[in-house]
Amino acid sequence: MEAFRRRLSSISSLFNNRTMSTSASLAWPTPITKYDVHIYWLPANQRQKYEASALLDRIAKQFPHLWQSRMHDRAIGPHPMPMAEIDVSKPEDFVTFVPWMAMNHGSLSVLIHPHTDDAVLDHTTHALWLGQPLPLDTDMLRAYQDQLNERDRWEKAQKKEEEL
């Protein structure tokens, strides 16, 4: 029980310190390079579209350093509904932004996923959901992953040839 209290205390200190010391740096665990946050709204629901727009405006004001896509008014890529994306490139942004999203997403579904070397696992097994989870087009993700793998094989072969 004491070990649990110490661990809880150390986790709480991350959130209680409003400014992080420059000597305290966080790092993504390998192989994570960043996180994407996708905010979805129902295509025919104007109230949800307005809610998403207002949420994105709040994010832009409170987290101006996070990259934000435009609002896509249709399904795009593996995403089955209209959405917008936020990129979280730094671990220290993750520890503040994701809890903020948990408390502010309202009625919107939100997918939070890492970027590793496996797009399918990133969007499924490794994903976090706020609100109602949505089915993603995993066949499209598999095809995309196959393209990435083929590109990597080609680049490695090119590099090997150059070394000869």
Side-chain angles (χ1 to χ4, degrees):
M1 187 64 162
E2 185 57 34
F4 174 76
R5 284 192 186 115
R6 280 193 309 274
R7 181 70 180 135
L8 185 58
S9 175
S10 70
I11 291 170
S12 296
S13 70
L14 283 175
F15 294 100
N16 292 335
N17 295 335
R18 299 218 184 257
T19 59
M20 294 186 65
S21 160
T22 54
S23 63
S25 67
L26 299 174
W28 296 120
T30 302
I32 297 171
T33 59
K34 70 173 189 164
Y35 271 81
D36 284 349
V37 177
H38 300 274
I39 300 167
Y40 300 94
W41 60 93
L42 293 169
N45 187 319
Q46 288 303 310
R47 184 192 56 75
Q48 269 205 340
K49 184 175 180 181
Y50 175 80
E51 183 181 358
S53 179
L55 178 61
L56 291 165
D57 286 346
R58 287 178 60 203
I59 292 168
K61 287 180 183 134
Q62 290 195 256
F63 302 93
H65 55 288
L66 298 181
W67 180 85
Q68 190 176 120
S69 76
R70 67 180 178 82
M71 292 179 73
H72 299 281
D73 284 327
R74 61 180 177 79
I76 185 169
H79 307 283
M81 294 170 42
M83 64 98 189
E85 178 182 334
I86 311 294
D87 284 358
V88 181
S89 300
K90 297 178 182 174
E92 52 270 23
D93 291 331
F94 184 91
V95 300
T96 55
F97 181 65
V98 171
W100 185 90
M101 279 298 298
M103 301 306 294
N104 291 282
H105 70 90
S107 72
L108 305 171
S109 292
V110 179
L111 167 64
I112 303 166
H113 72 83
H115 273 257
T116 69
D117 57 357
D118 192 322
V120 177
L121 288 177
D122 291 349
H123 285 78
T124 56
T125 304
H126 301 155
L128 306 170
W129 283 93
L130 302 174
Q132 185 67 38
L134 302 172
L136 301 177
D137 185 347
T138 54
D139 289 338
M140 182 264 154
L141 284 170
R142 281 185 193 87
Y144 174 70
Q145 187 64 53
D146 289 345
Q147 286 178 340
L148 291 177
N149 293 342
E150 183 59 35
R151 185 194 69 200
D152 288 347
R153 282 191 293 273
W154 183 84
E155 287 175 353
K156 285 178 186 174
Q158 289 298 108
K159 190 172 184 177
K160 225 176 188 181
E161 278 185 30
E162 290 173 5
E163 291 173 354
L164 296 177

